[in-house]
Amino acid sequence: MSATDPGHIVDPRAFQDELLGWYDRHARALPWRIAPGSGERPDPYRIWLSEVMLQQTVVKAVIPYFEAFTSRWPTVEALAAAPDADILEAWAGLGYYARARNLIACARDVAALGGFPGTEAELRTLPGLGAYTAAAIAAIAFGQPATVVDGNIERVMARLFEVDTPLPAGKKILRAHAATLTPDQRPGDYAQALMDLGATVCRPKAALCLTCPVARLCKARGRDPERLPIKLPKAKKPERQGVAFWLECGGAVLLVRREDSGLLGGMRALPASGFTESGADRGDGAPVKADWQDTGHRVSHGFTHFNLTLTVLRAERPDRANLQGEWVPIAELDKAGLPTLFKKVVRAVRDSR
C-alpha cells in the first residue's frame, strides 16, 4: 500500500480512549514516572534526566544510573553545582558521552533560568534537547499537547497506517500521522502509553497483536506487521585503530583526563593515541619514553559512527615524578569512572596478570 493512501483513517478519539484505558491498567512502573490517576505532578527534572539518559539507551540500562544520579543530585540545581568530573565519572559506562556534556550545560542553563521552561519551543533552546526530547518533556512534565515521536512510536505509526516508505525518508510521514492523533487531554499519559505500546506490545519482532488495545484500528494487522517500518540497510561503519598505554608504577596505573572536546571529552582514561583509520605508531602519543611492550591484547569497541580497535602497550616506571595525570591503584580502577572502552582495556590487562 502507498504511504499516501487516503483510504485508512484512524478516529483520534477512539484511538486515544482505547490506548489510555489500556495504559491506566498496564502502565510500566518506572522510577521517573508518575502512575496514571495518582494526581501527582511529574518533576520536570526527573523527566528531563530520564529522557536524556534514554537517548539511544534501553530502559534496563538507564534505571540504575537514574537512581544513582537522583540520589546524589536530587534537583537540577544540585546537578548544576556539581563539578564536571564528578558528573562525567557518574555517567561512565552509559555511553554516548556528548549527552553527559550537554547534560551539564543544560543543568546550568536551567538553574540560571530558575527552572525548566514549560513549552516545547523554549525547551528546544536548551543544550542537547532535540525535537523528541523537548516534546516529551513538554507533554509529560508540563501537560502540553506536543507530538512525541521516538523509535517505538514510529513503529506503531508505521503499522497503524501501514506506511511503506522506508526510513529515514518515512519519518516525516510518520510524524504527520502521529500529529493527527495527539490529544489535548492527558498528553503526557498518552505519550507514555504510546512508548509502552511500542516497547511491550507492538514490538519489532513477535508483536503481540492479539493483545493490542488498538488492534481493530491497525491497518497492518494480519498483513505481516513486523515488516514495518521498512529500514534501508545501514552503511558499514569504518574501522579505526589506536594505541592505549598501560604505565605501571608500584601497583598503580597512570590515568589522564581527556580534552574536553572530541571523543570521550573530559573523561578519565588511560593515555591513548590514534583513533584513525591508519592508527598510530606504537610510540606515538606515549605519556613517557619507556620500553613499551605489546601485551598482545587487541580491545575492540563500537562507537556510533565507527568501530575502534586498540593495541595495548605496557611499561613500568620506577618513580611517579614529572608526569601529568594521576596514579590509581590497580585494585581501584573499577571505581575510577572510566568509559566502557577503557574498562575493557583494564579487564584485558588485569585478567592476564
Side-chain angles (χ1 to χ4, degrees):
M1 290 288 179
S2 167
T4 58
D5 179 4
H8 186 65
I9 297 174
V10 176
D11 179 352
R13 185 61 181 270
F15 184 82
Q16 294 158 12
D17 287 349
E18 294 187 24
L19 181 65
L20 285 167
W22 170 81
Y23 181 71
D24 288 341
R25 299 187 300 274
H26 300 289
R28 289 182 292 177
L30 299 172
W32 49 83
R33 181 177 283 183
I34 299 300
S38 68
E40 296 180 49
R41 295 186 63 180
D43 180 352
Y45 169 63
R46 295 172 69 88
I47 301 303
W48 163 73
L49 181 62
S50 67
E51 289 298 340
V52 174
M53 288 184 168
L54 285 164
Q55 292 169 8
Q56 303 181 31
T57 307
V58 298
V59 167
K60 183 178 179 180
V62 163
I63 289 174
Y65 282 89
F66 177 85
E67 292 177 335
F69 263 71
T70 52
S71 175
R72 188 172 180 181
W73 301 296
T75 65
V76 70
E77 291 81 11
L79 185 65
D84 291 14
D86 289 355
I87 298 172
L88 290 171
E89 287 166 17
W91 189 276
L94 196 55
Y96 303 97
Y97 294 98
R99 293 182 300 167
R101 296 192 291 275
N102 283 330
L103 187 84
I104 294 167
C106 186
R108 291 173 183 163
D109 281 4
V110 170
L113 290 170
F116 283 90
T119 69
E120 185 177 1
E122 290 172 311
L123 287 162
R124 282 293 301 271
T125 67
L126 295 173
L129 270 63
Y132 162 74
T133 309
I137 297 169
I140 299 169
F142 296 105
Q144 298 293 309
T147 298
V148 181
V149 183
D150 67 355
N152 282 324
I153 295 172
E154 284 182 345
R155 183 166 58 255
V156 171
M157 295 298 143
R159 294 171 179 176
L160 184 67
F161 290 93
E162 200 173 29
V163 175
D164 57 11
T165 303
L167 299 180
K171 286 180 176 288
K172 287 185 178 181
I173 299 170
L174 298 176
R175 182 174 181 81
H177 283 310
T180 67
L181 303 177
T182 301
D184 291 326
Q185 302 297 317
R186 299 183 66 187
D189 284 346
Y190 173 82
Q192 292 174 111
L194 272 180
M195 295 173 193
D196 281 8
L197 184 70
T200 66
V201 176
C202 194
R203 304 180 300 193
K205 301 295 181 184
L208 303 178
C209 296
L210 293 178
T211 61
C212 177
V214 292
R216 71 176 184 85
L217 303 172
C218 180
K219 188 175 183 181
R221 186 187 183 191
R223 299 157 63 94
D224 190 18
E226 291 174 14
R227 68 186 175 84
L228 299 170
I230 298 171
K231 298 180 181 180
L232 296 177
K234 292 183 179 180
K236 185 178 179 180
K237 291 182 181 180
E239 300 290 334
R240 296 187 182 180
Q241 308 294 323
V243 178
F245 300 96
W246 177 284
L247 184 61
E248 191 171 329
C249 179
V253 172
L254 180 70
L255 296 183
V256 297
R257 183 77 60 181
R258 293 180 64 82
E259 293 184 4
D260 288 339
S261 61
L263 187 69
L264 306 179
M267 302 293 294
R268 263 180 169 178
L270 292 166
S273 63
F275 294 23
T276 64
E277 292 185 15
S278 59
D281 293 335
R282 293 193 169 188
D284 184 24
V288 65
K289 289 185 178 180
D291 183 19
W292 292 102
Q293 299 293 317
D294 192 337
T295 64
H297 297 298
R298 302 293 181 268
V299 175
S300 297
H301 186 70
F303 290 96
T304 306
H305 300 299
F306 64 92
N307 296 319
L308 175 66
T309 300
L310 290 181
T311 295
V312 184
L313 304 184
R314 180 182 180 277
E316 292 192 22
R317 186 176 172 86
D319 63 75
R320 304 179 183 183
N322 301 320
L323 280 176
Q324 291 186 340
E326 55 186 317
W327 293 90
V328 177
I330 294 172
E332 297 179 12
L333 287 171
D334 288 338
K335 303 174 184 178
L338 297 175
T340 301
L341 169 65
F342 292 103
K343 286 181 179 178
K344 290 181 179 181
V345 175
V346 169
R347 285 196 297 268
V349 176
R350 195 168 56 189
D351 292 350
S352 66
R353 291 170 62 85

